[in-house]
Amino acid sequence: MLLIILAGALAALYINSYAGIVRSGNKSLQAKEYRAAEQAFKKAIAKDNKKPDAYTGLSKVYIGQEDLDAAEDVFLEAIEKQPENADLYEAAFHFYLDTDQPMGIPELLSDAKEKVIEKLSEYVVKEPEFSLDDEEVYDDVQQLTLTSDAGSVYYTTDGSTPDPKSTKFQKPIQLEEGSNQIQAISVNKKGIPSQIVQKEFVIE
């Protein structure tokens, strides 16, 4: 009888623990009971706002309801309150990769504190290098080469923001007379992009 009482007490402790509440939220999420899942994850965050699991679960609640802005805000609001919590940053990075928004990673990292960047160095991708100097004015057409030790290079020439779906650099870019605006990123094998490099080349 004592063992049964003890087992019941332990079960109650688990159910009301952070892990237990998150587990309950995940069960509701799998059943598409979004309201119950949302309440569970918010309860878990109130219990421990430093761990990333409940934030990830809450974000998935909004993803399930096709509200990506609300899903992203879960992480952005948490990071704003805890700017040195690298675990929250990493959870946000997984969100961006899972929802096919990889450019959110370098954008979020651009404002991160040095301690966070050091802890998440695997998400820091080196920017591509340009073969020409954009401070020089050229008097003839030029060919521009983009290189990267990190992986592939993607670029745009129309002023639009490059991403992993943009043109992949495979051969030199012909720069014509006038102003040529090139924006480029490196993307490593994990699909993580670098910061955007933007240069303007003038051919007279």
Side-chain angles (χ1 to χ4, degrees):
M1 184 66 178
L2 183 60
L3 288 175
I4 294 173
I5 295 172
L6 183 60
L10 290 173
L13 281 173
Y14 175 74
I15 290 171
N16 291 305
S17 69
Y18 177 87
I21 298 169
V22 169
R23 186 169 183 269
S24 173
N26 283 326
K27 279 187 174 182
S28 296
L29 181 60
Q30 289 175 357
K32 296 185 178 181
E33 297 171 355
Y34 296 124
R35 181 60 180 164
E38 182 180 20
Q39 290 177 338
F41 291 128
K42 285 184 175 179
K43 183 179 178 181
I45 291 170
K47 200 170 190 69
D48 189 338
N49 68 350
K50 291 183 172 59
K51 294 180 180 178
D53 310 80
Y55 293 102
T56 296
L58 184 58
S59 177
K60 288 180 179 179
V61 168
Y62 300 133
I63 292 172
Q65 298 175 87
E66 299 183 356
D67 191 346
L68 288 183
D69 288 337
E72 181 182 28
D73 284 343
V74 168
F75 299 109
L76 298 184
E77 290 172 5
I79 287 170
E80 186 177 0
K81 295 175 183 176
Q82 302 179 58
E84 295 188 359
N85 190 330
D87 291 337
L88 292 181
Y89 272 89
E90 188 164 24
F93 296 162
H94 286 300
F95 159 75
Y96 286 127
L97 291 173
D98 291 343
T99 57
D100 197 25
Q101 302 178 83
M103 292 309 296
I105 296 175
E107 185 176 344
L108 192 57
L109 272 177
S110 66
D111 294 324
K113 293 184 179 294
E114 192 63 35
K115 287 182 180 179
V116 171
I117 294 174
E118 288 176 1
K119 288 181 180 178
L120 300 175
S121 58
E122 63 186 291
Y123 293 94
V124 179
V125 178
K126 189 177 179 181
E127 299 166 353
E129 295 183 359
F130 288 57
S131 62
L132 298 176
D133 184 358
D134 63 338
E135 294 183 358
E136 182 178 345
V137 176
Y138 298 91
D139 57 7
D140 197 2
V141 295
Q142 300 289 321
Q143 287 193 328
L144 173 67
T145 299
L146 306 175
T147 56
S148 173
D149 295 333
S152 301
V153 176
Y154 297 85
Y155 70 95
T156 62
T157 59
D158 59 1
S160 61
T161 301
D163 60 32
K165 294 180 182 177
S166 299
T167 303
K168 184 177 182 179
F169 179 83
Q170 294 177 312
K171 61 181 181 180
I173 303 167
Q174 187 82 2
L175 302 181
E176 303 293 346
E177 183 178 348
S179 174
N180 298 262
Q181 187 182 105
I182 310 294
Q183 296 188 67
I185 56 170
S186 299
V187 179
N188 69 11
K189 292 181 180 179
K190 294 182 180 180
I192 299 168
S194 70
Q195 299 284 348
I196 297 171
V197 181
Q198 178 177 322
K199 292 181 182 287
E200 185 176 3
F201 299 93
V202 178
I203 312 295
E204 290 187 346

